Amino acid sequence: MSTLITPHTDARMAHIIEKVRGGERLSLEDGVYLYESDDLLTIGQLANEVNLRKNGKKVYFIENMSLYFTNVCESRCAFCNFRKDDGEEGAYTLSGPEMVQYVEQHIHPGVREFHIVGGHNDKVPFQYYVDSLKALNERFPEVTLKAYTAAEIDFFTRISGLSIREVLEQLRAAGLKSLTGGGAEILSDQYRKKMRVDKANVEEYLEVHRTAHKMGMRTHTTMLYGSIESREDRIRHMLQIRELQDETNGFMVFIPLSMQPKNRNAGIMRRNSAYEDLKTIAVSRLMLDNFDHIKAYFINIGVQLTQVAMSFGASDVHGTILKERISHAAGALTPEGMTREELIWLVKGAGRIPVERDTFYNEIKVYE
């Protein structure tokens, strides 16, 4: 066993180390303790050990594009600066052919995935969302459609009168292959009420993913941290995701999303600290023992901190993205995307092995 960087750990930390190394699952109390501990190096090294056991030194990325068909949204979540009302300046709703035209102007060889999310636009019927995917799938059949959050799927059931399964069946027939992870925020109904998350509640979010998994679809999941939630709320969020993963084994990756301030000029105190971001990635890796991957999302935490995160349990750095809008509308100061060469440099610069993947973590190329 490797030697811990910080040798003077207390009895509680020593017990957690023993549990992790022995393959024993961590509890709610363990997770809260880790969050409250200031021993970041021990937590990080322990998370790194877990990740190395699962993935070795491989760190994954994908060539993808982020697409947003509409920013019109009926919801008014307190943390969102992307949404618009119908008719408001800057509001838009693109048709399938219009999005195809946009993609044709911006796509480059090697793109394997369209990452598609947007507003809950109740001014258009459910068929609009089906046709949007169909247009892309017909023009770019070689590109995987990873589309819509669980909250969007729940929204589609309300505007269509269909069940979750029926909505997913229609979208899958149009080309859908996987769901994005957004819409989770913090899985606490109390949090969702305070933050005006007037979209899918906790059980609805989980039920969408449960249904998708039972249909053979593998999906992604997130946690948006850094606002009003407690550290216990974060751990309870992870435990609910872990429990569903025990049931279905349908999640491929967990993505901690660092909250961005709503104003680009907001002071640094309104952002999560690097310390908090690294601890969240490490604690996620330790709590989610049944997940293969924890993602360090450079859009939210920055390029250099993403490199450090690879030694704190992260095994994925997302992808090329091309023109990310949601986090940047909220005030992200990071690049809107990166090239394949930049991502390879990013991973190699951290002493890791870059692996280009597809949506389902099948390896395309290993850059030794």
Side-chain angles (χ1 to χ4, degrees):
M1 289 295 181
S2 60
T3 302
L4 288 174
I5 298 171
T6 49
H8 303 295
T9 57
D10 61 26
R12 182 65 184 277
M13 183 67 80
H15 179 58
I16 290 175
I17 293 167
E18 184 179 350
K19 288 177 74 172
V20 170
R21 288 178 166 171
E24 186 177 346
R25 175 163 280 183
L26 298 186
S27 66
L28 169 68
E29 293 75 19
D30 293 331
V32 172
Y33 171 83
L34 290 172
Y35 252 126
E36 292 176 347
S37 169
D38 62 1
D39 193 355
L40 180 63
L41 293 182
T42 294
I43 297 167
Q45 182 169 335
L46 198 57
N48 186 50
E49 287 183 16
V50 172
N51 181 44
L52 290 175
R53 285 204 302 266
K54 288 179 176 287
N55 299 297
K57 288 195 170 185
K58 291 181 175 180
V59 174
Y60 295 81
F61 72 91
I62 188 170
E63 288 232 52
N64 63 352
M65 290 181 68
S66 290
L67 305 180
Y68 311 86
F69 273 91
T70 181
N71 62 354
V72 175
C73 190
E74 65 169 11
S75 298
R76 297 178 178 275
C77 303
F79 47 78
C80 182
N81 206 40
F82 173 76
R83 69 160 308 280
K84 300 286 184 183
D85 289 322
D86 187 40
E88 181 181 351
E89 183 179 356
Y92 68 88
T93 301
L94 301 180
S95 67
E98 287 172 327
M99 182 58 82
V100 167
Q101 184 179 28
Y102 170 85
V103 173
E104 287 175 338
Q105 293 170 351
H106 295 88
I107 197 170
H108 57 80
V111 167
R112 299 180 180 278
E113 173 188 280
F114 294 141
H115 178 104
I116 304 167
V117 294
H120 297 192
N121 187 346
D122 58 351
K123 306 303 180 184
V124 293
F126 171 57
Q127 191 62 41
Y128 162 81
Y129 297 95
V130 176
D131 291 342
S132 296
L133 296 190
K134 188 178 298 183
L136 284 174
N137 192 50
E138 289 177 352
R139 175 62 183 84
F140 306 101
E142 73 284 2
V143 180
T144 299
L145 299 186
K146 183 180 77 176
Y148 306 134
T149 67
E152 286 175 277
I153 300 299
D154 176 73
F155 166 70
F156 298 158
T157 68
R158 290 192 284 108
I159 64 173
S160 68
L162 301 172
S163 68
I164 294 171
R165 176 175 284 272
E166 289 168 336
V167 164
L168 289 173
E169 285 174 345
Q170 288 199 27
L171 293 172
R172 188 158 66 173
L176 179 70
K177 294 297 191 295
S178 179
L179 299 182
T180 69
E185 324 314 356
I186 294 292
L187 293 176
S188 157
D189 285 327
Q190 182 180 20
Y191 166 95
R192 296 170 99 76
K193 182 177 180 180
K194 288 182 179 180
M195 293 296 286
R196 305 197 307 274
V197 185
D198 49 348
K199 52 189 179 184
N201 62 28
V202 173
E203 185 49 45
E204 288 164 344
Y205 178 89
L206 295 172
E207 186 59 30
V208 168
H209 283 283
R210 178 181 290 110
T211 302
H213 296 168
K214 288 181 178 179
M215 293 172 62
M217 196 177 293
R218 305 205 70 204
T219 68
H220 310 68
T221 190
T222 62
M223 178 181 75
L224 181 65
Y225 66 93
S227 58
I228 65 168
E229 82 283 353
S230 67
R231 286 165 170 169
E232 182 173 329
D233 286 335
R234 297 181 196 175
I235 298 300
R236 290 188 182 278
H237 177 111
M238 295 178 199
L239 293 180
Q240 291 178 87
I241 294 296
R242 189 174 76 180
E243 183 177 347
L244 181 55
Q245 182 75 332
D246 279 343
E247 178 186 338
T248 65
N249 195 34
F251 290 119
M252 293 180 284
V253 60
F254 179 74
I255 309 142
L257 298 174
S258 185
M259 179 75 76
Q260 302 298 302
K262 289 187 69 172
N263 186 326
R264 286 181 183 276
N265 299 315
I268 191 68
M269 294 304 292
R270 294 187 62 188
R271 298 177 184 274
N272 288 312
S273 67
Y275 180 93
E276 192 75 5
D277 288 333
L278 288 175
K279 182 180 283 188
T280 298
I281 287 170
V283 171
S284 300
R285 178 63 284 167
L286 294 171
M287 295 300 300
L288 298 175
D289 51 44
N290 54 4
F291 274 67
D292 290 333
H293 300 287
I294 306 296
K295 182 176 293 185
Y297 190 43
F298 72 83
I299 289 292
N300 289 108
I301 67 173
V303 173
Q304 290 174 309
L305 195 61
T306 295
Q307 287 184 306
V308 180
M310 296 176 212
S311 294
F312 280 71
S315 59
D316 187 278
V317 293
H318 197 59
T320 50
I321 301 176
L322 298 178
K323 298 290 289 183
E324 192 282 335
R325 296 184 187 177
I326 293 178
S327 291
H328 284 87
L333 303 175
T334 53
E336 293 180 330
M338 297 182 74
T339 65
R340 177 201 284 123
E341 291 71 26
E342 287 171 332
L343 286 168
I344 292 169
W345 168 86
L346 178 77
V347 176
K348 284 189 173 182
R352 302 289 163 134
I353 301 169
V355 181
E356 186 174 353
R357 63 172 175 86
D358 67 9
T359 299
F360 306 101
Y361 287 85
N362 297 306
E363 296 183 4
I364 304 302
K365 184 174 181 179
V366 180
Y367 296 85
E368 295 284 1

